[in-house]
Amino acid sequence: MHVSLRLKGRLPVFSHLKQLRISFCLLMLGATVCVQAAVVRGTVTDRLGAAVRGARVNLVQHGKVVSTIQSGADGSYELLSAATGRFVVSAIGMGFGMSLSPEFYSGSLDVVNQNLVLKPANVAEDITVTATGVPTPQAQLTGTLDVVHGDDLTTRVGIVDDLRLMPGVNVVQTGQIGGVTSLFVRGGPSTANKVMFDGMPANDLGGIFDFGTVSTTGLERVEVARGPVTVISGADAGASALNFETPRGVTAKPVLNYSGDGGNFHSVRNEVTLGGTRNKLDYFLGYSRFDIANGVPLDKYHDGTAVANLGYTMGAVQARFTLRYSVSAT
């Protein structure tokens, strides 16, 4: 009887210990899941920089929403997801149109910052980089800036014709296609333009740059800044600052594109591009060749352009390699 009573007295203790152990295991499991969750955070603002409260922010993967939240009073948000891979953040608020972030990769232990700028509904707004060094809505700039998008360049051989249409810009070309082409902005000399490809300077010594040999292959957009905003690009941007951006691969599967055309003066152009993503890697490769006889005897011209843009994401850090190699002759 005595022994039986002692055993009965200990059973509740063993039961409590078992419950504590189960609770501890569940707690650790939950902590493990939280630690292994990908974190995406940032702020939602309008084009003037004011915080947007109550905006619906979604984390999208392969066209499906995997996490959603509303922005706080200061416009901040934080999304968690146990999934890994490539994502896009979308945001929409009352009176604003939808804004999408660039596609990015996030692992189970990564913390990614993605700030979004909402634009008024039915109003287009460009996000620029050249004039400020960081992505900035065009409404916040203090100077004049023009943007040429890649869709407008698909039917072009070079960028000279689009530069001619910009206000305050005078393009002088020697001879026909392939001739030396100089740019004069707001009366400044042709050596006062800072030319960059993906943010890297490309001028020759003395500020000289020949725009006649720049092919539209591998160009996603062209930003031309004029006025005081160019000072951030350095002292050599006395008249303007131009930035040519290379596309990045965004599709989960490789996409191969080929285009070819021909015209008068025995002109022929062929172009092939390949782009896509693979886990943390995104890639874009392209090559084109353009030949023309021109309208003057013995004035044949050809240009071959090779482009590469490779990016690799390492947590909050991204390594990127860009290459643009052009060979032309007259």
Side-chain angles (χ1 to χ4, degrees):
M1 179 74 64
H2 180 66
V3 176
S4 176
L5 287 175
R6 290 184 61 186
L7 289 175
K8 289 180 180 179
R10 290 182 179 180
L11 284 175
V13 176
F14 292 146
S15 178
H16 288 309
L17 289 176
K18 186 176 181 180
Q19 292 177 0
L20 288 174
R21 181 162 34 169
I22 293 175
S23 300
F24 179 75
C25 291
L26 291 175
L27 180 62
M28 292 302 296
L29 179 62
T32 303
V33 172
C34 291
V35 170
Q36 292 183 349
V39 180
V40 181
R41 58 169 65 124
T43 57
V44 182
T45 61
D46 62 15
R47 59 179 183 172
L48 296 179
V52 177
R53 178 179 182 179
R56 175 67 62 182
V57 185
N58 298 321
L59 184 64
V60 182
Q61 184 181 40
H62 304 311
K64 298 181 179 179
V65 177
V66 297
S67 182
T68 183
I69 198 173
Q70 285 188 339
S71 59
D74 57 351
S76 63
Y77 73 90
E78 183 172 288
L79 296 165
L80 302 177
S81 174
T84 61
R86 307 194 73 84
F87 299 91
V88 172
V89 177
S90 68
I92 187 170
M94 184 67 68
F96 294 95
M98 179 175 291
S99 176
L100 295 175
S101 73
E103 190 178 58
F104 59 92
Y105 179 89
S106 180
S108 57
L109 300 177
D110 293 340
V111 178
V112 181
N113 291 309
Q114 291 289 341
N115 297 326
L116 294 107
V117 178
L118 297 184
K119 54 190 177 184
N122 302 323
V123 175
E125 179 70 28
D126 274 318
I127 301 296
T128 63
V129 178
T130 303
T132 57
V134 295
T136 305
Q138 201 165 348
Q140 297 183 24
L141 302 180
T142 58
T144 308
L145 185 139
D146 285 295
V147 179
V148 182
H149 297 278
D151 295 339
D152 300 325
L153 298 173
T154 54
T155 58
R156 306 286 194 187
V157 175
I159 50 91
V160 175
D161 291 335
D162 291 279
L163 294 178
R164 281 198 177 103
L165 300 176
M166 296 181 181
V169 174
N170 186 23
V171 178
V172 177
Q173 184 174 15
T174 303
Q176 302 185 48
I177 296 179
V180 176
T181 305
S182 301
L183 188 70
F184 300 85
V185 179
R186 291 185 173 180
S190 60
T191 56
N193 308 305
K194 183 163 187 177
V195 181
M196 298 169 285
F197 284 87
D198 297 309
M200 300 301 295
N203 295 79
D204 291 333
L205 292 177
I208 300 172
F209 188 85
D210 182 9
F211 292 89
T213 60
V214 179
S215 169
T216 57
T217 300
L219 288 184
E220 184 177 39
R221 55 189 272 144
V222 181
E223 295 182 3
V224 182
R226 311 181 300 277
V229 292
T230 61
V231 70
I232 194 171
S233 300
D236 47 351
S240 69
L242 298 89
N243 187 45
F244 299 90
E245 294 186 14
T246 308
R248 301 182 182 183
V250 295
T251 56
K253 296 182 179 180
V255 175
L256 178 66
N257 288 321
Y258 166 79
S259 63
D261 52 73
N264 54 358
F265 302 122
H266 305 286
S267 60
V268 178
R269 184 174 186 268
N270 293 281
E271 177 183 291
V272 60
T273 61
L274 174 67
T277 60
R278 178 71 176 178
N279 295 331
K280 297 183 179 182
L281 175 71
D282 65 84
Y283 55 90
F284 178 86
L285 306 171
Y287 179 79
S288 71
R289 166 126 182 164
F290 174 69
D291 293 84
I292 188 171
N294 277 321
V296 180
L298 302 179
D299 193 26
K300 291 184 178 180
Y301 169 77
H302 73 264
D303 178 86
T305 302
V307 179
N309 189 350
L310 308 174
Y312 189 82
T313 303
M314 300 172 290
V317 180
Q318 186 179 82
R320 184 157 298 279
F321 169 83
T322 59
L323 169 71
R324 188 175 185 90
Y325 181 74
S326 180
V327 176
S328 59
T330 302

